[in-house]
Amino acid sequence: MMRKKISLALVCLTIGLLSGCSQKTAEAPKETSAKTQETTRESAATYPEKNINFIIPYSAGGGTDSLMRLMTAAMEPDLGKSLVVSNKPGGLGQVGLTELASAKPDGYTIGALSNLDHILVLLTGENVSYDYDSFEYVGAINTTVNVLMANDQNGFKSLDDLVAYAKENPGSVTVAISGKTHIAEVALFEQAAGIDVTTVMQEGGGESLNAVLGGHVDCAVLDKKFVAQVEGQAVTPLASFGGERLSVIGEIPTMKEQGYDVATETYRVITAPKGTPEEVLNRLEASIKSVTETDEFQEKMENMSEIYRFLGRSEVKERLDNDYQAMVTLLKENPNAFE
Amino acid sequence: MDMFLSALTFAVSPISLCINLAGVILGILFGALPGLNGVVGVALLLPLTYNMNAAHGLMMLAGLYMGSTYGGSISAILLNCPGTGEAACTALNGNPLARTGRAREALSYSVLASGFGGLFGVIVMGLFTPILSKMALKFGPPELFLVCMAGLTVVGSLMGKSIGKGFFSVAFGLLLSIVGMDTITCNYRFTFGNLHLQSGLSLIPVSVGFFAIAEMLNLVCSAEEVSSVSEHKGNFKTLDALRDTLRRWKIALKSAVIGTIIGILPGTGGAIASFIAYGEAKRTSKEADLFGKGSADGIIAPESANNAAVGGSFVPLLSLGIPGSATSAIIFGALTVHGLIPGPKLFAEHGDIVYALTLGLFLSTILMMVVGLGGVSIFSKILNIRTRYIVPAVLAFSVIGAYSARNSMFDVLIAVIFGIIGLLFKRNQIPIAPSVLGMILGNMAEQNLRRSLTVAHAKSLPIVSYILLRPISLVILVLLALLIYGNMKTALRAKNEE
C-alpha cells in the first residue's frame, strides 16, 4: 500500500518535471540563431526538406484559424511538404507568439498573427518576452473591417445622430465590444468625435450581436461579416472603421467620409522568427502569392466572407509600421484608453 | 413540403447515413475519453468538411456533437471519470449503481435518456426555431446573471453530507474562475507573472485532473484488483430499462425542457443544463434519498438535459447566427465556410440545408441510441479489466486530452496538479462536482453582473431595479426562490441524517 503510494508520487513528479523541462527547451535557443543561420543558408535553395510547423496563436475555428488553415492546405502541393498546424491560443495571441519568437529561425517553424492584437499586446501586454522586431513579416492575404451598428430603438439613423446624442448625454450610449482591437477603435472614434461612450465587453461577436439585437446595448462593434446577418432586423450599420469602402459592404459609409478621422483594418500576417534566411522568406512569400492568386482559392475566401488582398514582405511591414504608429499616438494622447 | 421530402430523401440516403453514423461514433468516442470532448472533436473534423457537400459536413459535425454529449456518460458511469463537464452529474449516481453490479442498467438509462432528450431538443429546434430565437434575444446580461445564480443554487444538491465542505468546494471553483485576464477590463488577475495563466485555467485540464486523474490515483491507493464489481447482477434486459425509463417520463421531459431552454441561451451549454436539471430532479424526485447512491432519476435528468441542449443550441445559431454553446460556435464556422450566413435569410435561401441538418440531427440521435444500446454489454466489460491495466490507460488518455485542447504542456501540468488536489478532496470527503460547477458558472456570473453594472451606470439606473424590473428577470427570480428553498431543504435533510 505504502509502496504504491510512493511510486505514484514519483510518477506524478516525473510528469510534472517533464512538462516543466520541455517548456524550457522550447524557449532556450535564441542565442544560437546566428549559427543556425549559417548552416541553413546553404540548404535554403532546397527548402523545404521536411514538414513545416505552423503556429496559430488563436483557437481552432476562429477567424485567423479558418483562413490560415485554408491557406496552409493550398500551400502544401506547392511546397511539396506538409504544413502542420497547431493552435496555441491565449492572451490575445501572446502565448503562441512567445513560442514562435523563440523558435529556431530555419523556416521550419512559422506562424500567423492578427495585426492590431499583436501591436496592442506589445504596447499594453504584461510580461511580453518578445518585441516588434522579433519577427520577420512574410505577407498577408486578407483585409477586413469592423462596423459600428446601432439598435433602432434610439432612432440613431446615422453616425451624426449618435454623435449629437452622445454629446448631450456623455457616457450614456452603450457600445458592445469584444477584444482589445475594438477598445482601440472605439477610443479612436471617441477622440475624433469628441464624445464619451460606455463600452460593454462581450466574449465574442455572437454575444455582441445578441446584445445589440436584443436592445440590451445601444450599439455594437462587429466584424463586417455580421452585416449580412442583421439585414432585415432592427439594427442599422452606421459606419465602417476602414479607411475606404469595401465592395461587399459598399453601402456603408466610412468614418472618414462622415468627418471622423478614424481608419483601422484587420489582417492576418504570416510571420517567421527573426533571423530566418532571406531565401526561405522569399520562397514562402512566392508560394503564398502563387497559391492564393487562383480563382478557386479566392472563391473559397469569398465564401468565408473574407476579402482577398495580397501584401508582400515590404508592403506588410509598411502597413504594420503605420498601425503601430497610430496606436502609439493613441496611447500618448489617451494613456487610459485601455484601463 | 417538397423541400421537406427532398431533404428527407437526402438524409436517409446511404451515404448520408454513413457520414452521420461516422460522426456519431466518433462523437461517442470523443465524449467517452477523458479530456477529449465535442468541442475538440468538432474542431478537429472541421477542416475535413471544407471539401464536403455543405449538408453532409454539417450533418457529420452535428452528429459528432450529439454523440459526444452522450459519450461522456459512459466513462462517468463505469470509471467515475466523466469524459466531459456535461457528464459530471451522471457520475454521481451512475457510478454508485455500476459499483453495485448494475452497470448495464445505468448505461441503458443513460442512453435512453440521452436519446429522449436529444429527440426532444431536435423536434423543438425543427418546429419552433423562429419563435424561440426571439426569446433568446430577451436574455440580456441581467437575465443571464440570474440564470447563473439559479445554477449556483444547485450546489445544495451536490454537496453530500457536509454543508461546510460543499460550500468550500463551490467557493474553490469560483476562485479558480477568477484566474486570468479579466475580460471586462483586460487586466490580469492571479497570474503570478505566468504567461500561461494569462488566459485563465481552462476547464478541460482542470476537469481531467479533478475527475479522471484523481479517480485513478484513488483507485491505486485503494489497491482494489478490479475497478468495480466484476459480476453483473441478474439477467438484465434492455426492455426493462426502456419500461423503467418510460415510467420516469416526467423527470425526463422536465429535464429535456430545461436542457432545451438552457441550450438556447447564448454562452451556456450542456454542462449548465445538466447541473440545473439534476438539482431540479433532486428537489422533486420521489427517490430523493437515493440521490448520490445510485438513483435512476439522477442519471436520467442530467443525460436528458444535456442532449436536449444540443438541439436548443442550434436555435439561435441558425436563426440569428448566435452560437448557444462552445461546440455550436465551431459549427458556425463550418456554416460560413460554405457561404451559408445564419440569420432569417438562411431559412429563405437555404431551407433545404436547414431541413437536412434538422433531419440529420434527428437521425443522429436515433443512431446514437442504437450504437449506445448495442454497446451496453461491450462497454460494461471495462469493469472486468484489472485496475493495473485501466489506470495507465486512463492516465495516458488524460494526458493526451489535457494537452490537445490547447496544445500546451502547461495544461498537462495543471491536470496533474488538479489530480492531486482531487485526490485530497476525495480523501477528505469534499465533493468535487461543486468546484466544477463554480468554475463553469463563475466567469459567466461575474461577466454578466459587471455588464449589468456598466449599463446601469451608463443609464444612471440603480443596479437593483435595472436587474430586477424586467419581465423575464421576475420569472427567473421566482424560480430562483423555489430552487433555493428546495436545495436548502435537501441540504438540511442531509445534515439531519448525519
Side-chain angles (χ1 to χ4, degrees):
Chain A
M1 175 87 180
M2 196 57 208
R3 231 175 54 200
K4 273 190 179 151
K5 268 189 188 164
I6 291 170
S7 61
L8 187 79
L10 277 175
V11 169
C12 296
L13 205 66
T14 338
I15 299 178
L17 283 176
L18 276 176
S19 58
C21 287
S22 66
Q23 231 123 45
K24 280 199 193 91
T25 45
E27 283 157 16
K30 222 174 184 175
E31 279 106 282
T32 53
S33 64
K35 213 170 162 189
T36 48
Q37 206 173 331
E38 288 297 307
T39 48
T40 44
R41 184 149 297 163
E42 292 148 34
S43 57
T46 52
Y47 173 84
E49 290 176 314
K50 54 180 183 184
N51 291 343
I52 301 166
N53 293 313
F54 197 95
I55 296 177
I56 294 178
Y58 298 93
S59 27
T64 309
D65 181 70
S66 324
L67 183 66
M68 286 300 124
R69 278 182 193 265
L70 193 68
M71 186 196 73
T72 50
M75 283 169 75
E76 285 182 352
D78 182 57
L79 291 172
K81 292 284 171 205
S82 289
L83 280 94
V84 184
V85 172
S86 55
N87 299 88
K88 307 260 178 179
L92 287 173
Q94 197 185 339
V95 172
L97 290 182
T98 302
E99 190 173 324
L100 183 62
S102 55
K104 200 166 152 188
D106 56 2
Y108 293 103
T109 308
I110 58 174
L113 54 82
S114 185
N115 61 327
L116 287 177
D117 273 1
H118 175 50
I119 291 165
L120 291 172
V121 165
L122 289 171
L123 292 176
T124 64
E126 268 180 24
N127 307 310
V128 187
S129 62
Y130 54 85
D131 58 33
Y132 187 62
D133 295 319
S134 303
F135 303 99
E136 305 279 359
Y137 304 102
V138 185
I141 60 168
N142 80 319
T143 180
T144 183
V145 296
N146 290 315
V147 176
L148 182 68
M149 302 187 192
N151 186 297
D152 291 347
Q153 66 188 3
N154 296 312
F156 299 149
K157 284 287 158 207
S158 71
L159 202 55
D160 288 335
D161 292 348
L162 170 68
V163 171
Y165 183 85
K167 278 202 169 131
E168 269 173 42
N169 308 282
S172 84
V173 174
T174 48
V175 183
I177 54 168
S178 50
K180 264 193 178 172
T181 299
H182 294 177
I183 303 183
E185 288 179 328
V186 172
L188 285 167
F189 171 55
E190 284 180 320
Q191 215 162 40
I195 55 168
D196 180 22
V197 301
T198 301
T199 52
V200 186
M201 187 66 101
Q202 311 286 325
E203 280 273 272
E207 283 194 1
S208 293
L209 181 62
N210 192 64
V212 74
L213 277 177
H216 307 293
V217 292
D218 304 319
C219 302
V221 178
L222 287 160
D223 184 90
K224 57 127 190 24
K225 73 176 179 206
F226 288 100
V227 171
Q229 262 169 252
V230 300
E231 225 168 85
Q233 304 196 58
V235 165
T236 310
L238 297 179
S240 108
F241 285 92
E244 56 225 58
R245 288 197 190 203
L246 290 180
S247 57
V248 279
I249 49 162
E251 73 284 5
I252 300 173
T254 64
M255 292 254 169
K256 252 193 181 146
E257 285 170 34
Q258 305 184 67
Y260 307 101
D261 190 18
V262 182
T264 54
E265 56 166 346
T266 311
Y267 46 92
R268 278 86 195 198
V269 183
I270 296 92
T271 309
K274 181 94 195 162
T276 306
E278 278 294 307
E279 293 83 346
V280 169
L281 296 174
N282 290 335
R283 176 76 183 91
L284 285 170
E285 183 191 11
S287 172
I288 295 167
K289 185 164 197 288
S290 70
V291 302
T292 58
E293 266 172 354
T294 65
D295 290 343
E296 193 198 346
F297 187 87
Q298 292 182 16
E299 195 191 310
K300 280 187 183 156
M301 268 184 79
E302 207 182 304
N303 279 343
M304 294 162 72
S305 42
E306 290 279 4
I307 294 160
Y308 178 73
R309 186 195 63 191
F310 178 80
L311 295 177
R313 281 178 64 194
S314 51
E315 297 135 317
V316 82
K317 185 73 188 352
E318 198 180 311
R319 288 262 176 182
L320 275 173
D321 287 345
N322 286 340
D323 288 345
Y324 193 86
Q325 271 318 313
M327 289 303 131
V328 169
T329 318
L330 169 67
L331 277 167
K332 207 179 273 166
E333 286 170 16
N334 185 1
N336 297 324
F338 292 91
E339 298 292 304
Chain B
M1 199 62 206
D2 278 353
M3 208 185 250
F4 178 82
L5 281 178
S6 69
L8 185 66
T9 341
F10 177 82
V12 296
S13 70
I15 175 86
S16 300
L17 282 176
C18 282
I19 287 175
N20 206 333
L21 184 67
V24 169
I25 293 177
L26 275 174
I28 295 178
L29 280 175
F30 270 102
L33 294 173
L36 299 177
N37 58 23
V39 183
V40 178
V42 170
L44 277 178
L45 249 63
L46 179 64
L48 208 69
T49 63
Y50 289 169
N51 292 319
M52 282 165 102
N53 164 325
H56 278 149
L58 288 170
M59 220 178 245
M60 182 168 76
L61 296 181
L64 196 151
Y65 184 14
M66 187 61 89
S68 72
T69 308
Y70 151 68
S73 71
I74 301 173
S75 39
I77 290 170
L78 296 176
L79 301 169
N80 200 19
C81 306
T84 60
E86 289 148 335
C89 289
T90 313
L92 298 175
N93 290 286
N95 189 252
L97 204 60
R99 277 180 193 280
T100 53
R102 293 162 66 192
R104 281 183 290 180
E105 208 178 317
L107 286 170
S108 305
Y109 289 140
S110 152
V111 69
L112 289 169
S114 293
F116 177 82
L119 291 177
F120 183 87
V122 177
I123 291 171
V124 170
M125 161 194 167
L127 296 180
F128 304 111
T129 288
I131 305 166
L132 288 173
S133 66
K134 296 224 167 59
M135 185 198 93
L137 286 181
K138 294 264 186 289
F139 280 76
E143 286 85 4
L144 287 173
F145 169 67
L146 289 175
V147 168
C148 293
M149 290 297 106
L152 279 174
T153 60
V154 174
V155 68
S157 305
L158 300 171
M159 56 176 51
K161 288 215 167 97
S162 160
I163 294 178
K165 284 175 181 173
F167 275 120
F168 168 79
S169 180
V170 75
F172 184 69
L174 288 171
L175 188 68
L176 296 179
S177 77
I178 297 175
V179 176
M181 188 197 276
D182 165 15
T183 47
I184 306 288
T185 61
C186 292
N187 290 319
Y188 295 110
R189 304 185 295 196
F190 300 103
T191 57
F192 306 101
N194 185 321
L195 170 67
H196 296 276
L197 282 178
Q198 286 186 2
S199 39
L201 288 166
S202 140
L203 185 65
I204 291 180
V206 171
S207 50
V208 163
F210 257 152
F211 290 126
I213 297 182
E215 179 63 20
M216 290 303 113
L217 297 183
N218 197 29
L219 257 184
V220 173
C221 293
S222 59
E224 273 174 40
E225 263 299 291
V226 177
S227 58
S228 182
V229 185
S230 51
E231 290 164 42
H232 298 295
K233 273 188 195 158
N235 50 350
F236 164 78
K237 286 194 196 76
T238 311
L239 273 180
D240 297 338
L242 185 64
R243 212 182 43 221
D244 234 23
T245 313
L246 286 178
R247 210 159 44 81
R248 299 163 197 270
W249 64 273
K250 267 190 203 151
I251 288 264
L253 182 66
K254 191 165 65 179
S255 306
V257 172
I258 293 174
T260 313
I261 293 175
I262 301 281
I264 293 173
L265 302 184
T268 56
I272 298 174
S274 68
F275 274 110
I276 294 186
Y278 183 81
E280 175 58 20
K282 186 168 179 180
R283 187 178 72 84
T284 51
S285 171
K286 282 187 209 108
E287 50 181 55
D289 301 337
L290 269 178
F291 268 59
K293 297 176 193 117
S295 151
D297 281 354
I299 300 173
I300 290 170
E303 282 306 311
S304 170
N306 61 25
N307 280 80
V310 174
S313 75
F314 275 98
V315 168
L317 176 72
L318 295 176
S319 59
L320 302 164
I322 299 165
S325 70
T327 320
S328 53
I330 305 178
I331 295 180
F332 177 85
L335 279 165
T336 54
V337 165
H338 290 287
L340 304 169
I341 295 159
K345 269 173 33 187
L346 181 70
F347 290 82
E349 288 168 14
H350 299 282
D352 50 336
I353 290 183
V354 176
Y355 275 130
L357 173 65
T358 313
L359 287 169
L361 202 55
F362 190 88
L363 290 170
S364 305
T365 318
I366 291 170
L367 290 170
M368 175 188 87
M369 288 170 86
V370 173
V371 174
L373 283 174
V376 163
S377 56
I378 306 166
F379 299 147
S380 56
K381 293 228 163 53
I382 291 176
L383 291 178
N384 300 348
I385 303 174
R386 283 171 189 277
T387 315
R388 68 172 83 130
Y389 301 121
I390 289 269
V391 172
V394 172
L395 284 180
F397 278 119
S398 303
V399 170
I400 295 170
Y403 177 79
S404 62
R406 293 198 291 194
N407 294 310
S408 156
M409 272 319 273
F410 181 78
D411 280 350
V412 176
L413 187 65
I414 293 289
V416 172
I417 291 171
F418 278 92
I420 295 165
I421 297 177
L423 181 66
L424 292 176
F425 270 44
K426 278 177 197 271
R427 294 273 134 159
N428 294 297
Q429 279 84 44
I430 302 170
I432 288 174
S435 284
V436 175
L437 179 72
M439 210 180 147
I440 294 173
L441 288 175
N443 245 323
M444 235 182 105
E446 187 205 339
Q447 284 182 20
N448 283 302
L449 176 61
R450 291 177 61 189
R451 283 175 198 147
S452 306
L453 283 165
T454 313
V455 174
H457 180 75
K459 304 288 175 203
S460 331
L461 291 168
I463 179 67
V464 177
S465 56
Y466 174 66
I467 291 188
L468 300 184
L469 295 181
R470 296 159 68 103
I472 295 185
S473 287
L474 289 174
V475 176
I476 306 173
L477 214 62
V478 173
L479 291 175
L480 190 61
L482 276 174
L483 275 167
I484 292 177
Y485 171 73
N487 279 295
M488 256 170 57
K489 225 169 59 180
T490 35
L492 290 173
R493 191 166 53 200
K495 177 106 183 137
N496 292 338
E497 274 171 21
E498 203 173 1

